[in-house]
Amino acid sequence: MIRVLSLLVLILSFVRAVPAESREVKKKPASRAIPTNYFVKKEEKNFSLLMEARRFGRGEVIFLRLTPKDKKWINESYKVSWLGKDVILTKKEKSMIAFLPVSPDTPAGAMTLEIVSKIFFVKRGQKQYQIILEPTKFQVIKKNQQIKVDEKFVTKELPKETLDFIQECKTAKEAAFAKQSQLQFINNFKNPLDKIFITSKFYVRRDYNNKQGRPHGGVDFRGKTGTPIFAIQDGIVVLARKTYYEGNFTIVDHGNKIFSFYMHQDEIKVKVGDVVKQGQEIGTVGSTGMSTGPHLHLGAKVNDTLVDPLSLIALQSISESH
C-alpha cells in the first residue's frame, strides 16, 4: 500500500514515499504491528535514486542508493554532498550507496542533497534535492525524576590524577573516531542483545544530582550483568578499554566513518585491531563507569555526527541488490 509523504519535497520533481517493513527495535517483540520506514524513489533520465529512513527527522540516518541507467557509468566520477558536507560513496554491485546523518541539533527547515555528475546532468553538471525535516521532540526527564549517580561524575573538583585520566580517555576516543576505512559490511544492521527492552531513548535530556546533564548520546537496553553483547555490524575494533565515564568501552569501525560504541560493559571480549563479524560476542552487560545499574548503552556516529543507533538498525535496503 502506497501513501504520499507530504513532508518530502524534491525540487523540480515529484516523489512518492513508500512504507516498507522496518526492523526498528521495540520494547517488546512482535505481537504488535510492525512499524514502517519511508522510501523516496525517483527515476531520472540517467539514474534512479532511492532514499530510505525510519523517518526523515533529527538524529536519524538516511540510506541512499544511486543506480546509473547505463552499467558502464558506475565507474564515472560522482560527488554527493549532504547538508553542505561531502559524503562517502561506495560502489555496490550496479549502484553507489551512502549513509546520510541528520544531527539531533539540526534546525527546522529543508535539508539539501546535491549530486554532481557530468554524466547524470549533461547541461548543468549538478542537481539539488530538498527534503523537509520532520518535527522531532526529544524526551525531557522532569526534575523530580532526576538520576542519582556517584558525585565524582558530576563535580569539577577532582584530583589531578583523575583529571589526567579523563583527558587520556578523551584523547583515545577522539583518535578512535578519527579512523578511516573502507565500508566493512554488506548486510543490514542487527540488535546488540538477544532480548530487547529499551530503558532510555536517544537524546533524552535529564538531570544528574540536581545538575543539568548533556542529552543522552545513545540508547540504553536493560540487561543482567554478564549478558552477552553482540556487534551490530561487521567491523574493526578501534577502542577497547576502561574509561572514566563510559566504563568498559568498545568502539567498532564499520567503514565510511560509521561507528558503533558499547558502554558500561562488565567485561570486554575483544581488543584493538580485532576484525569482528555481525552477531559476534564482543562483551557483556555491566554497570561500569557513570552508571546506576546493569545495562548496555549503545551509540552510533556517522560522518562525525551522533545519531540514534536504532535508525541504523531499522534500515532494510542495505542487503538488497539492485
Side-chain angles (χ1 to χ4, degrees):
M1 184 176 181
I2 298 176
R3 58 181 179 184
V4 176
L5 178 60
S6 61
L7 295 175
L8 297 174
V9 178
L10 291 184
I11 294 178
L12 303 177
S13 58
F14 174 77
V15 175
R16 293 183 300 174
V18 184
E21 289 189 352
S22 163
R23 296 192 306 109
E24 180 182 4
V25 178
K26 302 300 289 183
K27 290 185 177 180
K28 295 182 180 179
S31 55
R32 300 182 180 182
I34 299 175
T36 57
N37 285 356
Y38 286 110
F39 287 76
V40 173
K41 297 181 178 182
K42 174 63 181 173
E43 292 293 332
E44 295 280 12
K45 179 181 179 181
N46 294 325
F47 70 96
S48 61
L49 178 151
L50 168 74
M51 299 178 75
E52 179 200 1
R54 184 176 61 164
R55 58 179 175 269
F56 292 88
R58 297 189 294 160
E60 300 290 306
V61 176
I62 301 170
F63 176 72
L64 170 71
R65 177 184 286 127
L66 292 174
T67 305
K69 295 291 179 68
D70 192 318
K71 294 180 181 179
K72 66 177 180 288
W73 291 346
I74 191 66
N75 295 317
E76 294 293 328
S77 176
Y78 306 97
K79 179 181 176 182
V80 173
S81 64
W82 171 246
L83 299 174
K85 188 175 183 179
D86 290 347
V87 300
I88 303 171
L89 285 173
T90 295
K91 295 176 186 176
K92 184 183 178 187
E93 300 178 352
K94 301 176 183 179
S95 303
M96 289 164 290
I97 65 172
F99 295 81
L100 314 178
V102 183
S103 168
D105 299 318
T106 299
M111 303 181 292
T112 301
L113 173 73
E114 181 179 70
I115 303 172
V116 178
S117 168
K118 292 182 180 180
I119 293 292
F120 289 166
F121 314 108
V122 178
K123 293 183 179 180
R124 297 184 179 181
Q126 60 84 30
K127 189 171 183 179
Q128 288 187 341
Y129 301 89
Q130 282 191 332
I131 297 175
I132 304 303
L133 187 65
E134 179 182 325
T136 305
K137 290 185 178 180
F138 296 111
Q139 183 181 5
V140 177
I141 302 297
K142 297 178 181 179
K143 287 188 176 182
N144 61 358
Q145 296 174 317
Q146 65 174 303
I147 296 174
K148 294 288 186 181
V149 296
D150 193 313
E151 190 64 23
K152 69 180 183 180
F153 292 116
V154 294
T155 183
K156 295 181 180 179
E157 298 177 1
L158 294 169
K160 183 181 184 302
E161 181 181 353
T162 302
L163 293 173
D164 288 344
F165 178 62
I166 292 173
Q167 182 59 48
E168 175 193 328
C169 296
K170 180 181 178 183
T171 301
K173 288 181 286 185
E174 289 174 348
F177 285 126
K179 300 288 186 182
Q180 297 193 45
S181 67
Q182 295 181 341
L183 198 67
Q184 305 288 321
F185 60 92
I186 58 174
N187 296 314
N188 298 331
F189 287 76
K190 289 187 177 180
N191 293 328
L193 300 175
D194 280 334
K195 295 182 179 180
I196 298 301
F197 194 102
I198 296 169
T199 56
S200 185
K201 297 179 180 179
F202 177 72
Y203 234 57
V204 170
R205 296 178 184 271
R206 52 197 184 184
D207 293 342
Y208 299 91
N209 300 9
N210 292 315
K211 297 176 183 177
Q212 186 175 28
R214 292 182 297 177
H216 191 220
V219 175
D220 287 348
F221 298 88
R222 178 184 296 173
K224 295 181 180 179
T225 298
T227 300
I229 297 169
F230 307 110
I232 64 173
Q233 190 55 272
D234 298 349
I236 302 171
V237 177
V238 291
L239 187 74
R241 57 166 290 173
K242 179 180 179 180
T243 57
Y244 188 74
Y245 294 106
E246 299 86 357
N248 289 330
F249 189 37
T250 301
I251 301 176
V252 180
D253 173 15
H254 305 294
N256 285 16
K257 298 289 287 181
I258 302 170
F259 299 89
S260 61
F261 51 94
Y262 311 78
M263 294 165 48
H264 310 305
Q265 298 171 89
D266 184 60
E267 183 181 359
I268 298 173
K269 294 196 173 184
V270 290
K271 63 182 183 300
V272 172
D274 283 355
V275 176
V276 297
K277 292 296 182 181
Q278 182 185 73
Q280 177 180 336
E281 184 177 353
I282 60 173
T284 59
V285 171
S287 185
T288 56
M290 186 176 172
S291 172
T292 58
H295 72 285
L296 167 66
H297 174 111
L298 174 69
K301 270 192 173 183
V302 176
N303 207 15
D304 300 319
T305 301
L306 195 66
V307 294
D308 187 339
L310 299 187
S311 69
L312 279 172
I313 293 171
L315 295 174
Q316 286 289 284
S317 298
I318 304 169
S319 299
E320 296 175 6
S321 59
H322 175 58

